[in-house]
């Protein structure tokens, strides 16, 4: 199995599910199912489990065995992934082998199956079990598309029962019925009305498909069921019996459909070079995608807002067994598991964290939180407010290996075809020159003049007037300057005027708009100015006046005391104080 990086939602030790037997509404106890996964991998699948906690001691007492840390953790919380894991498809492929039909007199179907009846064929259905590789995207309320790989496998379940008429006897005439043959004759996969796969019939067909040049489509699983019955009529004529044998046949087509998005990525990179030699790269795609690596060994990477979890399809928790005499519900031996993508509160991330690439910009569509689409018992760090889909990500890094740029999608195994940018489209970022000076001041405030120019040509850099830009190109220049907790923009002459009222050192910083929307593009710069009222003659005079006013009461008291001593004299003082 490929290495997976797991992210733990809640930092608390919890335990795995403790239900024995087959998989139903809660997952199996680790080690009780053989589905191509290790016990630890299997423990990460069940994001819809109840997360009921029992202690390690209670578990050991109940089952006589210990669990790994992952197994203990998985039941108390749900586990998410940075990349779409292979575990869901592996489990589904192996668990599908446990799905068995019921025989000619019993039809087995999930509760949501659409049943069809004929003359002799009853409770017939063809139900899609899973389409993989795939990922269910949680974009917003009412929009949860199933993205499937252009090349994959659809697995389905087909079953029915045969109604053999009762025999009869009247006088010398006897009628007998018997089932001669029954089968699923053919199964087909249909893409928007066109058959793309056809193969021999099976109760559990696995149809490998390849779909190109498509976007949203409807896939239909169709199965043809054939039965043949023998009708024998005997007429007793005393010394002889007339026997008349005829055969009755019936064919019935049953279908099931699913709306899907064919997930075929094409990525568009753009490059830039910073004055210090750093490299910039921006990639956008019009669908959700996972992220990209910048180097051949994959050590430097960046990912967007999307993270992943795995959960079972609850439609298959139980199966219905229907026969001529009635129906009953049983636990299912086969449960499909899907990968789900959701926007995470963790947001876009670059790795390595400390000295890896720097995310300089993201863009996409603003959508409301899809938290209401998750269903019950899903405990993940999904966004709970409006978020940006990060269809585009731009980074700055020390090194970008353009030949080894690898763009990964949210469907496992689907990587984007990279379309090289037009010749001459690479941006050479320039240095900016920011200056700030005090041009006017008094004892209460100072006026600062900020100027921003191209460091190479001296051309003024005017800011403002632009909204959210398209990935590449655009009209007005974005960007701003921060100083004294204010955000200001320069005019067409590259100048901005700011008034400050508190003495101190003021640092102005230029925050350039992304190079994605500007040509020429610039890097940041800073400048500093100092202001204090004592820096002027007026400031010193104001200080002396203020100090004088503050000391005036003391001068008055001192003068009054001195005059009082002169009026009374020393002799008067001693006489009043024997």
């Amino acid at each position: 199995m490929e290495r997976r990086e797991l992210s733990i939602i809640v930092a608390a030790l919890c335990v795995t599910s403790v239900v024995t037997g087959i998989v139903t509404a809660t997952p199996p106890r680790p080690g009780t199912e053989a589905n191509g996964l290790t016990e630890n991998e299997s423990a990460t699948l069940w994001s819809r489990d109840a997360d009921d906690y029992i202690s390690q001691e209670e578990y050991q007492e109940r089952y006589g065995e210990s669990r790994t840390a992952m197994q203990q953790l998985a039941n108390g919380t749900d586990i998410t992934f940075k990349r779409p894991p292979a575990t869901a498809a592996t489990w589904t492929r192996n668990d599908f082998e446990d799905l068995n039909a019921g025989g000619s007199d019993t039809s087995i179907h999930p509760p949501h199956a659409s049943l069809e009846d004929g003359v002799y064929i009853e409770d017939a259905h063809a139900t899609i079990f899973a389409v993989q590789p795939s990922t269910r995207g949680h974009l917003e309320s009412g929009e949860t598309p199933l993205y499937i790989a252009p090349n994959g496998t659809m697995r389905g379940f087909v079953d029915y029962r045969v109604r053999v008429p009762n025999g009869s006897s009247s006088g010398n005439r006897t009628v007998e019925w018997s089932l001669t043959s029954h089968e699923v004759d053919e199964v087909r996969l249909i893409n928007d009305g066109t058959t793309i796969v056809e193969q021999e019939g099976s109760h559990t067909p696995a149809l490998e498909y390849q779909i190109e040049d498509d976007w949203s489509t409807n896939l239909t699983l169709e199965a043809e069921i054939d039965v043949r019955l023998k009708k024998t009529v005997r007429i007793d004529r005393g010394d002889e019996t007339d026997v008349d044998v005829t055969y009755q046949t019936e064919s019935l087509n049953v279908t099931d459909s699913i709306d899907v998005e064919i997930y075929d990525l094409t990525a568009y990179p753009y490059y830039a070079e910073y004055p210090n030699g750093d490299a910039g790269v921006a990639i956008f795609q019009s669908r959700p995608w996972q992220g990209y690596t910048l180097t051949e060994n994959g050590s430097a990477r960046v990912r967007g807002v999307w993270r992943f979890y795995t959960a079972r399809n609850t439609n298959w928790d139980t199966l219905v067994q229907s026969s001529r005499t009635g129906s009953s519900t049983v636990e299912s031996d086969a449960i499909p598991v899907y990968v789900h993508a959701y926007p995470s509160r963790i947001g876009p991330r670059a790795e390595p964290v400390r000295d890896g690439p720097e995310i300089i910009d993201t863009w996409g569509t603003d959508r409301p939180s899809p938290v209401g689409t998750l269903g019950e018992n899903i405990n993940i760090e999904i966004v709970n407010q409006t978020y940006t889909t990060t269809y585009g990500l731009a980074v700055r890094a020390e090194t970008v290996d353009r030949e080894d740029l690898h763009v990964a999608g949210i469907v496992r195994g689907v990587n984007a075809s990279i379309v090289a940018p037009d010749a001459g489209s690479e941006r050479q970022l320039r240095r900016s020159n920011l200056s700030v000076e005090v041009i006017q001041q008094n004892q209460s405030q100072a006026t600062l003049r900020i100027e921003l120019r191209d460091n190479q040509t001296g051309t003024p850099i005017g800011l403002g007037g632009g909204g959210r830009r398209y990935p590449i190109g655009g009209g007005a220049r974005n960007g701003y300057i921060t100083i004294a907790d204010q955000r200001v923009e320069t005019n067409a002459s590259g100048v901005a005027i700011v008034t400050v009222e508190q003495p101190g050192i003021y640092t102005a910083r230029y925050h350039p708009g992304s190079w994605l929307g500007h040509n020429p593009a610039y890097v940041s710069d800073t400048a500093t100015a100092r202001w204090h009222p004592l820096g002027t003659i007026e400031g010193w005079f104001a200080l002396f006046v203020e100090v004088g006013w503050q000391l005036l009461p003391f001068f008055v008291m001192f003068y009054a005391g001195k005059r009082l001593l002169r009026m009374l004299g020393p002799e008067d003082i001693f006489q009043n104080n024997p």
Side-chain angles (χ1 to χ4, degrees), residues 443 532-534 536-550:
Q443 65 272 20
H532 195 282
L534 297 183
T536 65
I537 296 177
E538 292 83 355
W540 283 105
F541 178 76
L543 176 63
F544 290 142
V545 172
E546 179 68 22
V547 171
W549 277 107
Q550 296 293 334

